[in-house]
Amino acid sequence: MSFNYRRVIIKIGSNVITGPNGLPDIGRIAHLVDQIAAIKKQGTEVILVSSGAVASGRSLITVTDKYDAVATRQLLASIGQVKLINTYSNLFEKFKILCSQVLVTKEDFRDRLHYLNMRNCLEILLQHQVIPVINENDVVSVTELMFTDNDELAGLIASMLNAQALIVLTNVNGIYDGDPKLPGSAVIEEIKGNSINFSSFVSTSRSQFGRGGMITKSTIAQKTAQLGIAVHIANGTTDNILLDVLDNKVVHTRFVPTKKASGKKKWIAHSETAATGMVQVNEGAKTVLVSSKASSLLPVGIIKVLSDFKKGEIIKIVDENNKVIGLGLAEYGADKAREFTGKKNQRALVHYDYLYLQG
């Protein structure tokens, strides 16, 4: 059984494309690009999340020890990002494929406008057959505001773009049920739901070059799979790995997706802290909304607008006891919602495609 995904996010870890000397392994990058070109030729959209800027920087400049680690990282990342994107650009050019650079920070995911701008940018790149190469903007990211690592970034991008799958390439064959270095440890090939407490057996030692250990990968993979996106964790240092993962021909770990959620709902699901607006609905509307049938929030069921919001913002929907029953994207602002409150035959305040019910 092979996996026929329409859109995949491929995350390449620094430990995959960095040699033992800490410099980029151009041969490995070229081999991965060959495979990505083949996947694209089959009609699959590919978004690449790639680490490796710091290693690329290291190949160009020597930094003395007198600078602190953050400054050194910024220097190497800033120089190295140019080298990294040029490496990808030159390699993809052989296949007449264009790639683009997209640098993001964690802040871009917290702000709805940034989020939508970023999503629109990625969508138009894909529509024009361009492969986006995404990385964290290490030059402006300071430690507290950084992603846990690019695994977290890749999970967010997968969710944002409604991808069917996220393939995380690392330097081991998957998630093991013990220490990979010990005999008797085996790769867990399929993981469903929340059945496993990874921290009990996943090695916490981090790779030499990357920030994210296996526990991080496992947690993000689980969260991503719960949003309806399959996650594959595989060994990027193995030849032909991407094609073999998609053909299900190689031992690796697959997180089985549990439920389908629309792309918008995925963002909304992460947004409770961002929601400022609030509307209260009557029991009738609550019953309809929480029933198994997909229903929009109509003004006739609204009792009161409790706090202001603008069109396109996430709002909380509360019942008569002020208990949050869901989150949704407002189709229009609070003033219009007040005007329509309790009236029949008015446009839905929240369309069911953009309604995320809790519980």
Side-chain angles (χ1 to χ4, degrees):
M1 177 189 88
S2 59
F3 302 105
N4 293 315
Y5 298 126
R6 208 176 62 250
R7 179 178 282 184
V8 296
I9 314 293
I10 296 170
K11 187 265 172 173
I12 301 177
S14 52
N15 49 12
V16 172
I17 53 175
T18 306
N21 58 359
L23 303 178
D25 183 335
I26 303 298
R28 171 123 342 102
I29 299 173
H31 181 56
L32 290 165
V33 166
D34 292 350
Q35 294 172 73
I36 292 166
I39 292 166
K40 191 165 177 357
K41 207 172 175 182
Q42 293 165 6
T44 302
E45 291 179 324
V46 179
I47 297 94
L48 195 53
V49 175
S50 178
S51 307
V54 173
S56 294
R58 213 178 270 125
S59 71
L60 297 167
I61 193 169
T62 307
V63 192
T64 61
D65 292 342
K66 69 176 184 179
Y67 300 99
D68 67 51
V70 173
T72 300
R73 186 183 171 81
Q74 287 177 315
L75 172 68
L76 294 174
S78 186
I79 297 166
Q81 187 61 39
V82 180
K83 171 85 181 279
L84 181 67
I85 202 70
N86 277 330
T87 303
Y88 278 121
S89 180
N90 294 333
L91 291 168
F92 277 121
E93 210 174 309
K94 292 176 189 168
F95 299 96
K96 298 191 165 45
I97 293 173
L98 279 176
C99 69
S100 79
Q101 171 170 271
V102 181
L103 296 177
V104 301
T105 66
K106 201 161 191 171
E107 292 297 298
D108 295 324
F109 285 87
R110 293 182 181 163
D111 175 273
R112 180 69 183 161
L113 195 61
H114 279 198
Y115 182 91
L116 289 175
N117 281 341
M118 183 162 47
R119 196 187 67 189
N120 292 342
C121 167
L122 292 167
E123 288 287 3
I124 199 163
L125 289 168
L126 293 171
Q127 283 164 24
H128 287 81
Q129 304 303 315
V130 176
I131 293 184
V133 180
I134 305 173
N135 197 1
E136 179 165 18
N137 192 344
D138 285 330
V139 175
V140 296
S141 294
V142 285
T143 317
E144 317 81 79
L145 294 175
M146 284 171 116
F147 294 102
T148 319
D149 58 13
N150 270 347
D151 299 314
E152 184 187 6
L153 170 57
L156 286 166
I157 297 280
S159 176
M160 168 195 274
L161 290 176
N162 216 4
Q164 280 81 50
L166 164 61
I167 301 172
V168 176
L169 295 184
T170 181
N171 60 352
V172 288
N173 292 342
I175 293 172
Y176 285 77
D177 57 7
D179 185 336
K181 295 185 186 75
L182 296 176
S185 294
V187 171
I188 306 168
E189 293 195 40
E190 201 171 80
I191 294 171
K192 289 181 178 171
N194 284 331
S195 52
I196 297 175
N197 173 18
F198 298 108
S199 56
S200 57
F201 55 78
V202 170
S203 161
T204 53
S205 67
R206 293 183 173 186
S207 69
Q208 194 181 346
F209 301 110
R211 285 208 298 274
M214 266 300 166
I215 291 177
T216 312
K217 282 183 176 49
S218 308
T219 311
I220 288 158
Q222 223 167 33
K223 191 174 176 184
T224 305
Q226 280 164 5
L227 289 169
I229 301 164
V231 183
H232 301 262
I233 296 181
N235 193 334
T237 66
T238 304
D239 283 352
N240 221 39
I241 188 68
L242 289 169
L243 296 167
D244 285 351
V245 162
L246 291 174
D247 285 338
N248 208 11
K249 282 185 188 165
V250 65
V251 171
H252 71 286
T253 300
R254 173 175 171 252
F255 287 75
V256 181
T258 47
K259 64 177 181 183
K260 287 277 177 276
S262 76
K264 197 64 135 288
K265 285 186 185 182
K266 288 168 191 168
W267 185 76
I268 293 167
H270 290 293
S271 303
E272 187 167 1
T273 51
T276 50
M278 200 185 308
V279 294
Q280 189 174 43
V281 298
N282 60 31
E283 279 305 309
K286 178 183 176 178
T287 307
V288 171
L289 290 175
V290 300
S291 73
S292 54
K293 187 173 161 286
S295 305
S296 300
L297 172 58
L298 299 167
V300 68
I302 297 172
I303 302 170
K304 196 177 180 192
V305 174
L306 297 175
S307 60
D308 283 345
F309 50 88
K310 296 189 189 82
K311 178 184 175 178
E313 288 186 346
I314 303 286
I315 57 171
K316 288 181 190 172
I317 301 158
V318 301
D319 63 14
E320 292 181 15
N321 300 317
N322 286 324
K323 181 178 177 291
V324 177
I325 55 172
L327 300 161
L329 191 82
E331 296 283 323
Y332 40 83
D335 290 348
K336 197 176 264 189
R338 285 193 183 92
E339 189 189 319
F340 291 166
T341 291
K343 292 182 182 171
K344 288 183 178 172
N345 305 325
Q346 301 294 343
R347 196 155 62 92
L349 174 59
V350 178
H351 188 276
Y352 66 78
D353 278 349
Y354 308 139
L355 180 67
Y356 175 79
L357 296 165
Q358 296 185 325

